[in-house]
Amino acid sequence: MTDGPGSAEVLAELLENKPLRRDTFEGWQQFRTTRHRLVPAPVITIDQWRTMSPRERALHDMHRTATHVNLPLQETPMSLKVSRLVNRRISNNAWKRNSSTLSGVMVNGLGYHGKTETTCEVAAAFEDRWLALHDHLNPRTVPGTRDLHAPVAYVQTPVTAKPKSTCQAVLDFFGAPTKGLTLPQLVRQVAQSAKDHGVQALILDFTDRR
């Protein structure tokens, strides 16, 4: 029983693909496309472990550690309820055409309860489906432009964020300049950016950074 080569490949990929911040377009795309890529370490007995060479043991132990610190979010009745609600709201808004006002949803709870991971997983799965539906092209693209196609925009802001800083955080996701813009200009820029980039869902993750 050995998993040396497999463990080496998994560990090498983890080291080479250090996760980027999700609150940028590149970081979100990396999260979306790699979120299920980690192969868990195989379950072995102590006798099997003892038959390994020292190198194989070391690789297996590191693979096991990587598995434990990257455990997937466990489903609970509450997380399933939240997932269904968020998915339904995102999907309904994406297909809604008869109103300029879209319904949102707020996920509340204490820290480390899985709010961010649950919401991001639902949004990433929606983006997978949306991109596949449109052959990875923005159906609302403007001829002659090369805007990024971002069906989902994930933004982190502090709980004390003001409207101006929130708009700046949204524009930072796309790498858009914000220096010198007034609040009305920022609001218009956010609306235009969302339209140009084909945004269907905007996630505002208010975190307490005190």
Side-chain angles (χ1 to χ4, degrees):
M1 168 66 184
T2 176
D3 71 331
S7 293
E9 293 171 3
V10 170
L11 294 171
E13 183 176 358
L14 284 174
L15 291 174
E16 292 173 3
N17 297 292
K18 195 70 174 177
L20 303 173
R21 289 176 47 172
R22 294 182 199 176
D23 56 352
T24 65
F25 175 79
E26 293 79 10
W28 173 261
Q29 293 305 316
Q30 184 193 59
F31 161 75
R32 181 182 64 81
T33 57
T34 65
R35 67 190 192 277
H36 298 149
R37 189 170 295 176
L38 176 63
V39 178
V43 178
I44 63 174
T45 66
I46 187 62
D47 290 334
Q48 290 173 320
W49 183 84
R50 286 170 178 161
T51 64
M52 292 179 174
S53 68
R55 180 179 182 277
E56 290 172 340
R57 290 181 186 178
L59 286 172
H60 176 79
D61 291 345
M62 286 190 289
H63 191 175
R64 189 166 176 265
T65 299
T67 300
H68 287 174
V69 299
N70 292 283
L71 288 174
L73 192 67
Q74 298 300 304
E75 289 186 344
T76 66
M78 179 56 71
S79 72
L80 289 173
K81 185 175 181 180
V82 170
S83 296
R84 286 194 293 266
L85 173 60
V86 173
N87 179 64
R88 184 166 62 245
R89 195 62 49 85
I90 292 176
S91 299
N92 288 351
N93 286 342
W95 291 107
K96 196 171 186 179
R97 292 294 181 272
N98 60 357
S99 175
S100 60
T101 302
L102 302 176
S103 301
V105 60
M106 183 176 291
V107 181
N108 291 319
L110 298 176
Y112 301 102
H113 279 197
K115 302 183 299 298
T116 294
E117 294 306 315
T118 297
T119 303
C120 284
E121 174 58 34
V122 172
F126 163 80
E127 183 167 336
D128 289 341
R129 298 192 302 272
W130 188 261
L131 290 173
L133 177 65
H134 297 288
D135 295 324
H136 290 254
L137 299 175
N138 184 355
R140 301 178 185 175
T141 190
V142 178
T145 65
R146 298 180 63 185
D147 288 316
L148 301 172
H149 187 195
V152 174
Y154 172 79
V155 178
Q156 278 194 334
T157 63
V159 292
T160 56
K162 300 295 190 292
K164 189 171 184 178
S165 60
T166 299
C167 288
Q168 290 172 328
V170 173
L171 293 174
D172 284 344
F173 178 85
F174 303 108
T178 61
K179 186 176 181 180
L181 297 180
T182 64
L183 179 57
Q185 290 173 325
L186 287 168
V187 172
R188 287 195 296 271
Q189 186 72 8
V190 167
Q192 189 62 47
S193 291
K195 179 181 179 181
D196 291 343
H197 298 301
V199 175
Q200 305 299 321
L202 173 61
I203 302 173
L204 296 178
D205 192 348
F206 293 100
T207 55
D208 191 345
R209 299 178 182 174
R210 293 173 295 177

